Amino acid sequence: MPDNKKRIIIDVLIILAVGLISFNWFKGSFFYSYGDVIFPFSPITAFKDSFYIWSGWFTGHEDVQILSYIPYYALLALWDWLRLPLYAIHQFVYYFLFTVSGLSVYYLILTIFKDERRHLMGLIAAFFYMFNSFTLIIVWGLSLQSIYLYPFLPLLLALLIKGLEKRKLIKYAFLFTLVSFFASIGFSNAAFALIFWLNILLFLVYYLIFNFRNKEKLYYALKFVLLLLIIWLGINSYWLIPYLEMLSGFLPEALQNIAYQEGTVESIKSSSQTAHLLNSFRLFGYHPFDLNYEYGANDPFYAFSKTYTQNPFFIVLSFLVPLLVFLSLLIVRKKSFNDKFYILYFSIFSFFILFFYKGSQEPLGELFLWLADKIPLLGAFRHPMSKFGVLLPLGYAALLGY
């Protein structure tokens, strides 16, 4: 077996082993299902119900988004049919998604960098993407959409890059579509669907700018991404069409409503109160990690936050990580064109996402509020940190690994 393949197998096994930590998140045979993190107590029943847009929850209501849950409920129903305990199904789902997040970044690093140290770089990036302060609260405990979208973002970006580099349009379009199908729950939230395509379009624009003189590359890149979009729309049409039809019934009127716009601006201000640049830069910004948080370490729901706000080691570490991330900009001149290309991209990418992550906080906080007031679509991002934030660890992971 070639040394390269042997090293990859060892690294994959390490990530799979480290991922076992996720089983420690659960106590005994307990599992949790609350708010936007929905885990059905009867997966087979939930799978059957997901084919109907009328929900029996509460007093009953229309729920078009449930159609996008079909892949998720199908997997749970299969394990339920095999008589696996509910708690075991729940724990395995989290283990799978947790390890996929690490494996996705590892694959991305091996795709974009050609450095002989890329395997070590991939492991560092993988561990950071799995274990960082943002995912601690926002990803794994906030919503089912973020739980399913976050792990696949690096893999989808890697498949896009592979498709552009290898010129195997059909192969990588198929793989891209297949992976995005499993992440379809993430698209049921309009904001996360836009974030997904923002991740793709930002790299496409960067790629086109760098290759603007090469008409062949420009043509192929546009054709490839257009194909991805068409296939994505087609494979998700079973829930997108009724979902868009539902939105068309009330969204135009709502977007013209002054109260709606004012509510968006006020929501952004409220959710960004602790997302000042010093916190956002360190992937904090959520209120439990702020030193001025009203309840501090006395909040039982975020009791662990005191480790990051009171322990000197973790405080220093929280500053060290972003400093190491952007240190790559100081050494980029000595690297190959390929490495420069990606280091520059992920640096620009990270700064761009930081602008939205911090919401109304300075610098340029007033600009963000002005955009939110003038662009009704930004109403979907009234909690900017939890939406744009799923992209920030991706940029940091790529740079930190390097």
Side-chain angles (χ1 to χ4, degrees), residues 19-287:
L20 294 172
I21 290 175
S22 63
F23 286 101
N24 193 48
W25 297 349
F26 304 88
K27 184 177 180 181
S29 58
F30 291 98
F31 60 89
Y32 66 90
S33 180
Y34 73 95
D36 292 332
V37 183
I38 304 170
F39 185 81
F41 296 104
S42 177
I44 293 178
T45 301
F47 174 63
K48 293 177 180 178
D49 290 345
S50 64
F51 286 89
Y52 303 92
I53 63 173
W54 183 258
S55 172
W57 282 39
F58 306 110
T59 57
H61 64 283
E62 185 182 22
D63 186 11
V64 175
Q65 291 168 288
I66 197 66
L67 294 172
S68 66
Y69 284 51
I70 290 177
Y72 168 62
Y73 284 149
L75 185 61
L76 298 185
L78 174 62
W79 288 333
D80 191 28
W81 180 74
L82 294 173
R83 303 299 183 188
L84 292 177
L86 282 178
Y87 74 88
I89 296 175
H90 197 193
Q91 291 178 10
F92 182 75
V93 166
Y94 270 78
Y95 170 74
F96 170 74
L97 294 172
F98 187 54
T99 53
V100 164
S101 68
L103 293 172
S104 293
V105 172
Y106 181 80
Y107 179 71
L108 174 64
I109 296 301
L110 264 61
T111 297
I112 62 178
F113 292 126
K114 311 304 178 185
D115 194 289
E116 60 182 13
R117 300 176 294 110
R118 65 185 185 278
H119 296 97
L120 177 60
M121 293 157 55
L123 279 179
I124 294 173
F127 294 150
F128 174 79
Y129 198 70
M130 296 167 74
F131 303 95
N132 62 74
S133 53
F134 178 82
T135 60
L136 186 64
I137 294 180
I138 302 296
V139 172
W140 304 116
L142 186 65
S143 71
L144 201 60
Q145 287 82 4
S146 61
I147 290 172
Y148 264 81
L149 184 62
Y150 181 82
F152 295 105
L153 286 173
L155 178 57
L156 290 165
L157 179 59
L159 291 173
L160 170 69
I161 294 171
K162 278 278 191 180
L164 293 174
E165 288 182 349
K166 300 294 184 181
R167 300 295 186 92
K168 295 181 179 180
L169 188 146
I170 301 300
K171 175 183 177 181
Y172 287 102
F174 171 76
L175 292 174
F176 183 95
T177 305
L178 182 64
V179 173
S180 66
F181 178 72
F182 285 107
S184 61
I185 292 180
F187 311 138
S188 64
N189 181 301
F192 282 123
L194 293 172
I195 286 295
F196 163 73
W197 281 106
L198 179 65
N199 186 38
I200 302 301
L201 292 177
L202 285 178
F203 183 80
L204 175 64
V205 170
Y206 181 79
Y207 182 86
L208 294 178
I209 291 174
F210 260 77
N211 295 282
F212 73 97
R213 293 181 179 176
N214 191 324
K215 293 184 178 180
E216 183 181 355
K217 283 189 175 182
L218 292 179
Y219 173 73
Y220 178 81
L222 292 172
K223 181 174 69 172
F224 181 52
V225 173
L226 180 61
L227 177 63
L228 294 181
L229 177 61
I230 292 173
I231 296 177
W232 183 85
L233 289 172
I235 203 169
N236 288 285
S237 61
Y238 71 95
W239 68 269
L240 267 177
I241 292 176
Y243 181 60
L244 292 174
E245 184 179 359
M246 178 197 71
L247 290 179
S248 66
F250 68 89
L251 194 58
E253 183 178 350
L255 293 178
Q256 296 176 7
N257 191 314
I258 296 177
Y260 173 85
Q261 291 302 101
E262 292 177 346
T264 296
V265 171
E266 290 305 314
S267 293
I268 292 174
K269 287 181 179 179
S270 176
S271 62
S272 304
Q273 287 182 4
T274 57
H276 53 79
L277 193 59
L278 195 61
N279 277 344
S280 298
F281 186 62
R282 298 179 295 147
L283 288 178
F284 287 166
Y286 203 59
H287 56 269

